[in-house]
Amino acid sequence: MAATDETPGEGFADPTGDPLLRTRFALPARPATFVRRPRLTAHLDQALATPLTMVNGSAGAGKTLHVADWASSLSRPVAWLTAESTDQAPGVFWAHVLQALRAAGVPVASEVGSPAEAGRVDQRTLTRLAADLEGRDHSTLVVLDEFDRVVSREIAGQLEFVLHHAGRGLRLILVTRTEPLLPLHRYRASGEMTEIRDAELAFTPDEAHELLTRHGLDLPASAVLALVERTRGWAAGLRLCALAARQGTDPHAYLKQFEADHSAVADFLLAEVLDRQEPGTQDLLLRISVLERCCPDLVNVLTQRTDAEPVLAALQRENAFVHYLGHSWYSLHPLFAEILRAHLRERFPGLEPELRSRAARWLRRSGALPEALAQGAAADDWEFTARAVVDDLALGQLFTGLRSDDLSALFERMGPDVRGPAPDLVRAARELAGRDVEHGLAHLHRAEEELARDGATDPAAVGLTCALLEALAARLTGTPGRAERAAEQAWALRPEVPGHLLDEHPELNALLLTHLGSARLWAGRFEDARTVLSAVAGRPGGAAMALPRWEALGHLALIDYLNGWLGRAEHKALAAAGQAQRYSLPQRSGAGLGALVRAAVLIDRDELDEAQALLDEAAASHPLVADPVEEAGRVLTRGRLLLAKGDARAALAAADAVVPAVMNSPWAEDHAAALACAAYLAQGQPASARKAVERVTDRRVACTVQAARARLATGHPEEALAMLDDLPETDRPGPAVTVRATLVRAQAAHGLGDHTAAHRLLGRALLDGRRDQLRLPFLEAGPWIRPLLGTGRLRELAGGWLVPGAGHDRPAPLAPSQPPALVVEDLSAREHDVLRRLAEMRSTEEIAADLHVSVNTVKTHLKSIYRKLAVSRRSDAVRRARDARIL
């Protein structure tokens, strides 16, 4: 039947005879708590320039209120129609569109007419409407709200016809939950479409804060951010949470702890999203709620159906809180998933663990081990979960510092009733990672006994994990022989392990070599330790290798330091620090050996304040692995610092400290004896000094040098020289040792009256010590050295780094003159470094980078400089330093 020019019931009835309800043509009212968001308004302004605009968002995303608020602010009429499910008949739909135009005050030419039948509309009506709109001076704005309710392809085609032929005369805005059946690809390709989607409709933290404030809630930024993260900025979720919180006695606590499944949020999502789906789709949504993400194959496994792919795609198109992640993976909105899980437990008790176990096995087969472990643990399927982490060689990640906390937390709920080699190996690893060696070894031995008794389905992977834990236990207990046996076991098993597993977990071999290197270092086998540690430090591997490389570099730095090569040691220690910074290793990795070595180097340079700061940092840390090597390094370095500060009694106590270990370390004993010797000499007890060190003089050059100092102090210079002459030529220690030995020779020559030899030897010591700025050996040498350093060639060699000298930047701790009256207290060597850069107008950050220290360390030095120079500003410090001839 053709359309007529008649209008039914004075324009207030549709072709069926039902009245045209005025509320469907009115802009929805905005509540008092409505938040106007300028970024969205600015984007929607583009609707004035494009023929088609689509505001496409999920239920409760705030799209209708946002468009209504924008429309109300315009100075031109806006035809508004809220669609309903009854608008599937073309005649009814177009009758409502025409009435929306009239209700907005937009005149419609009489020749357009109105549909006379509910089921159809004459093409002439559409043609005349398009022509009428196209011929106007100004475009007409039409908003079709809730357009997702219109599912008729016929209506979509008619709407496209009018939109296309109306040209610039029509600006159509569709507010919808789903993509309409219009040819959107053409509008996108031609740039004739404005789109606002869910991600843009989501509230930002600032917008959420304003919304909560309008609801009378004053919350800290952290609480607002947490709520936004949980709701993903979903407008309805934020509003419903705010309304519920306002009714409680403690809104902050409610928003922090609210149970989504027992709230208005749950009622909204169940009614607006879940209940709208057919029963089969509802069942699918309930089952996939146990997953963080899903793909069609995984969903088919959980639902035992074969059509998951089109169902997921349809849910995503419908904005049913299903988000597409790319590469066929989807995820549920976290709140929706939380509510669905609660609904699943009520509707199908006991099904959730089964679904999770099924998912865990599929995920492991697909190579998604972290997700498989999470699902297995959530299902309390501990045998599978422990077996998976062991068989896939992932247990080493407990010690890399990256996933350590996650893996440890994963097995917290595994009860003692879960038995078997894999669960016991996991328990052993967790205990050893927590430095509980006794319980860790008990679990490890039980696992090994069970494996020996029952065998294992994959002995190579399990055996390799056992070897790793054995090596770690050997390192922690100071048992080098045990570490060697564990390494041999691991190397024998490696060929039997699938190559792809070894490639995926380079940290396992790196950790094993690091443990072996640390045990060899404890045994005093420096070169053997260097071999395996260098293999770790030089191997690439990204973040997974960061912590083993960091540890290896720290141990290598210690070896160089113990051999007297301070420059090499500092270089490796700084490389270790750079490794930690680059990969953001967690705080509980500890300061590490690198920091201790840097502190020891600074002590030899007489930069005691910075050394103290590094030791304090190390003391405040809680390392992942606290082995005897690091503990001995910590004790001895602190003892040397105490001695350098003049507290010989405390230094002696440090030298006597016992480091728990099964086997004593020769180098730790040697350096403890050397420290005790130096402390006794500082107390004026040369006999005790000689007794403390001579029992170990045959093991290490540094100890022989200390013993020679003790002989010299007891008045036996010839004996001191003889001890040094008997040193083996094969040993080639670094400057930290040779400078001290040369100073002993110089002092002996000076005491014997051979001043020429004394000057020559002192000159050699200055040349050797200048490169590494070795000040402490000269300070330890005693008062005999001061007059010599103030004369001739020796003063020139010492100038600028040990004593004042012409053309040098800074004075030194051995300056014979008193500090100028303007200076309250002598500046340390490192404070001179900072002050000199301060005079160059460098920023705090630039000074820190130049000196390879932290910004906080530089600030500490600045405070000390200001105090010592009695100033409060940078410029005053520089001026005072120049007046005092410090600069």
Side-chain angles (χ1 to χ4, degrees):
M1 181 180 295
T4 69
D5 291 339
E6 298 177 2
T7 58
E10 299 179 347
F12 291 96
D14 66 23
T16 65
D18 291 333
L20 297 172
L21 302 175
R22 296 182 180 181
T23 53
R24 295 184 59 187
F25 311 112
L27 269 65
R30 276 75 65 204
T33 55
F34 176 78
V35 174
R36 181 174 287 110
R37 297 185 278 169
R39 62 182 179 86
L40 293 179
T41 302
H43 194 175
L44 201 49
D45 284 339
Q46 297 178 22
L48 302 174
T50 57
L52 178 63
T53 295
M54 182 176 67
V55 183
N56 185 355
S58 55
K63 49 192 180 295
T64 295
L65 290 180
H66 171 60
V67 175
D69 181 68
W70 170 79
S72 67
S73 67
L74 299 176
S75 59
R76 56 198 299 183
V78 177
W80 184 285
L81 171 62
T82 301
E84 292 187 355
S85 56
T86 55
D87 294 343
Q88 306 307 316
V92 174
F93 174 81
W94 284 104
H96 281 85
V97 171
L98 292 170
Q99 182 57 32
L101 291 168
R102 299 184 184 104
V106 178
V108 179
S110 58
E111 59 268 20
V112 173
S114 185
E117 290 185 67
R120 64 184 298 275
V121 60
D122 193 279
Q123 186 63 31
R124 286 178 297 176
T125 297
L126 302 177
T127 302
R128 290 169 180 170
L129 175 60
D132 182 24
L133 293 171
E134 193 273 338
R136 301 185 182 189
D137 295 334
H138 301 287
S139 58
T140 299
L141 291 176
V142 176
V143 177
L144 300 181
D145 187 25
E146 300 192 33
F147 190 69
D148 49 281
R149 296 183 176 184
V150 180
V151 295
S152 167
R153 290 188 176 275
E154 183 179 2
I155 292 175
Q158 294 165 350
L159 190 62
E160 156 62 12
F161 173 83
V162 173
L163 180 61
H164 175 70
H165 290 286
R168 297 179 59 85
L170 176 62
R171 294 292 181 257
L172 179 63
I173 302 172
L174 303 180
V175 183
T176 177
R177 294 188 190 182
T178 64
E179 288 206 350
L181 299 174
L182 300 176
L184 300 180
H185 61 282
R186 292 210 297 263
Y187 288 95
R188 289 186 178 117
S190 62
E192 295 181 314
M193 181 176 172
T194 300
E195 288 187 79
I196 296 178
R197 290 184 169 271
D198 247 340
E200 191 173 354
L201 290 167
F203 274 66
T204 66
D206 288 341
E207 292 166 350
H209 183 271
E210 183 178 352
L211 176 67
L212 295 170
T213 301
R214 287 176 179 264
H215 281 80
L217 301 174
D218 183 17
L219 300 177
S222 58
V224 175
L225 180 61
L227 185 61
V228 170
E229 289 176 350
R230 190 173 182 192
T231 61
R232 299 282 174 89
W234 177 44
L238 289 169
R239 290 192 181 95
L240 291 170
C241 287
L243 289 170
R246 194 168 61 178
Q247 298 171 5
T249 57
D250 189 347
H252 188 186
Y254 173 84
L255 292 176
K256 186 177 181 181
Q257 304 171 0
F258 83 96
E259 300 178 16
D261 53 311
H262 294 92
S263 68
V265 177
D267 296 338
F268 182 96
L269 286 173
L270 292 175
E272 291 291 327
V273 183
L274 184 64
D275 292 347
R276 289 191 174 200
Q277 308 298 329
E278 63 176 20
T281 303
Q282 289 187 28
D283 182 75
L284 180 146
L285 286 169
L286 290 172
R287 288 170 180 262
I288 69 173
S289 67
V290 302
L291 303 171
E292 290 293 324
R293 60 178 188 140
C294 61
C295 67
D297 288 345
L298 176 54
V299 174
N300 284 334
V301 167
L302 264 60
T303 59
Q304 298 180 327
R305 52 196 290 174
T306 59
D307 61 345
E309 186 169 6
V311 174
L312 289 170
L315 288 168
Q316 190 265 335
R317 286 195 303 271
E318 295 169 11
N319 281 315
F321 289 82
V322 175
H323 306 299
Y324 184 60
L325 304 176
H327 304 289
S328 298
W329 286 89
Y330 297 81
S331 70
L332 291 174
H333 187 289
L335 270 182
F336 190 35
E338 188 178 339
I339 293 162
L340 289 175
R341 283 194 296 273
H343 212 54
L344 172 70
R345 294 170 192 135
E346 292 178 4
R347 188 179 295 186
F348 303 108
L351 180 58
E352 182 180 354
E354 179 186 337
L355 292 172
R356 289 190 181 276
S357 289
R358 212 182 298 168
R361 283 156 176 78
W362 186 94
L363 288 164
R364 188 187 175 199
R365 290 194 302 271
S366 301
L369 182 64
E371 292 171 273
L373 298 178
Q375 290 293 343
D380 287 334
D381 193 346
W382 297 112
E383 174 58 33
F384 163 84
T385 307
R387 188 74 197 184
V389 77
V390 171
D391 287 352
D392 284 26
L393 295 183
L395 203 57
Q397 293 179 349
L398 262 173
F399 308 98
T400 62
L402 297 176
R403 294 192 59 234
S404 305
D405 291 337
D406 293 341
L407 264 179
S408 183
L410 191 71
F411 289 96
E412 278 182 353
R413 294 189 300 104
M414 184 172 68
D417 56 313
V418 181
R419 304 299 296 270
D424 279 328
L425 285 176
V426 170
R427 291 187 183 99
R430 292 186 72 238
E431 299 289 3
L432 291 173
R435 293 173 289 168
D436 187 342
V437 179
E438 180 182 354
H439 288 94
L441 285 174
H443 292 305
L444 178 58
H445 291 158
R446 187 165 67 185
E448 290 171 335
E449 291 169 0
E450 292 168 338
L451 288 168
R453 182 177 62 249
D454 303 328
T457 57
D458 190 0
V462 177
L464 200 55
T465 300
C466 287
L468 172 66
L469 298 181
E470 283 282 1
L472 173 57
R475 172 183 175 181
L476 294 175
T477 56
T479 318
R482 184 177 189 173
E484 296 289 347
R485 291 190 295 274
E488 290 173 2
Q489 176 190 358
W491 289 325
L493 289 170
R494 279 178 62 87
E496 302 177 28
V497 178
H500 73 276
L501 282 180
L502 294 173
D503 293 339
E504 291 169 6
H505 295 286
E507 74 280 352
L508 188 121
N509 188 56
L511 289 166
L512 181 66
L513 291 177
T514 302
H515 301 334
L516 178 61
S518 182
R520 286 178 174 179
L521 173 53
W522 182 247
R525 296 165 54 195
F526 287 179
E527 293 311 308
D528 290 339
R530 191 192 302 275
T531 298
V532 293
L533 292 168
S534 297
V536 177
R539 180 173 178 178
M545 287 286 295
L547 190 135
R549 278 198 302 266
W550 173 74
E551 283 202 315
L553 285 166
H555 282 74
L556 289 169
L558 180 60
I559 292 173
D560 282 336
Y561 177 79
L562 293 174
N563 285 330
W565 297 98
L566 269 61
R568 299 176 189 175
E570 184 179 41
H571 177 76
K572 291 182 177 67
L574 289 172
Q579 193 78 193
Q581 184 176 9
R582 178 182 178 186
Y583 290 100
S584 301
L585 292 177
Q587 284 295 317
R588 78 185 200 94
S589 296
L593 273 176
L596 295 175
V597 170
R598 288 164 60 201
V601 170
L602 290 167
I603 293 168
D604 270 326
R605 291 175 178 164
D606 194 40
E607 297 172 7
L608 305 186
D609 289 344
E610 190 168 342
Q612 182 72 64
L614 285 170
L615 285 176
D616 290 344
E617 177 186 341
S621 67
H622 300 284
L624 285 171
V625 178
D627 61 10
V629 171
E630 182 164 341
E631 186 58 29
R634 189 189 314 273
V635 170
L636 293 172
T637 304
R638 186 165 293 280
R640 293 189 63 245
L641 179 62
L642 290 167
L643 181 59
K645 288 184 172 183
D647 192 345
R649 180 176 296 180
L652 278 173
D656 289 338
V658 176
V659 176
V662 172
M663 189 197 89
N664 292 331
S665 170
W667 66 263
E669 288 186 335
D670 293 351
H671 281 267
L675 174 61
C677 175
Y680 281 125
L681 288 175
Q683 289 182 328
Q685 302 179 48
S688 297
R690 179 174 172 175
K691 182 179 179 182
V693 76
E694 287 194 350
R695 59 186 174 83
V696 295
T697 54
D698 58 339
R699 295 204 305 221
R700 201 162 301 276
V701 173
C703 295
T704 303
V705 173
Q706 282 294 345
R709 282 189 68 207
R711 293 287 181 95
L712 197 60
T714 58
H716 300 89
E718 295 89 351
E719 294 181 14
L721 291 172
M723 293 183 72
L724 295 178
D725 289 339
D726 289 340
L727 287 173
E729 294 183 1
T730 54
D731 287 349
R732 298 183 60 84
V737 176
T738 59
V739 166
R740 286 179 167 87
T742 305
L743 286 173
V744 171
R745 290 182 182 277
Q747 184 179 357
H750 184 268
L752 293 170
D754 190 348
H755 299 297
T756 300
H759 277 73
R760 175 175 52 79
L761 290 166
L762 185 53
R764 184 196 304 172
L766 289 168
L767 284 170
D768 291 344
R770 181 165 58 181
R771 176 180 298 177
D772 289 330
Q773 305 284 288
L774 279 166
R775 302 182 186 92
L776 189 63
F778 296 91
L779 290 172
E780 293 173 335
W784 68 273
I785 201 173
R786 284 182 178 272
L788 299 181
L789 291 177
T791 60
R793 174 63 174 164
L794 295 182
R795 179 178 176 83
E796 183 179 341
L797 290 174
W801 68 277
L802 194 59
V803 300
H808 295 284
D809 306 276
R810 64 185 183 196
L814 287 178
S817 59
Q818 295 297 317
L822 289 173
V823 181
V824 176
E825 182 183 338
D826 263 336
L827 271 61
S828 71
R830 185 43 62 96
E831 288 167 354
H832 280 288
D833 292 338
V834 173
L835 182 60
R836 180 162 55 84
R837 287 161 177 78
L838 202 65
E840 295 171 356
M841 303 297 289
R842 300 197 195 186
S843 68
T844 304
E845 290 75 13
E846 290 171 334
I847 296 173
D850 195 37
L851 296 178
H852 302 288
V853 298
S854 69
V855 171
N856 286 336
T857 298
V858 174
K859 291 178 178 178
T860 300
H861 286 315
L862 288 174
K863 290 179 182 178
S864 180
I865 291 169
Y866 295 162
R867 176 181 60 79
K868 292 180 179 181
L869 297 181
V871 297
S872 59
R873 296 185 302 179
R874 289 182 171 218
S875 58
D876 291 340
V878 173
R879 184 169 60 253
R880 178 67 56 85
R882 285 175 175 152
D883 291 343
R885 297 182 181 178
I886 295 173
L887 288 175

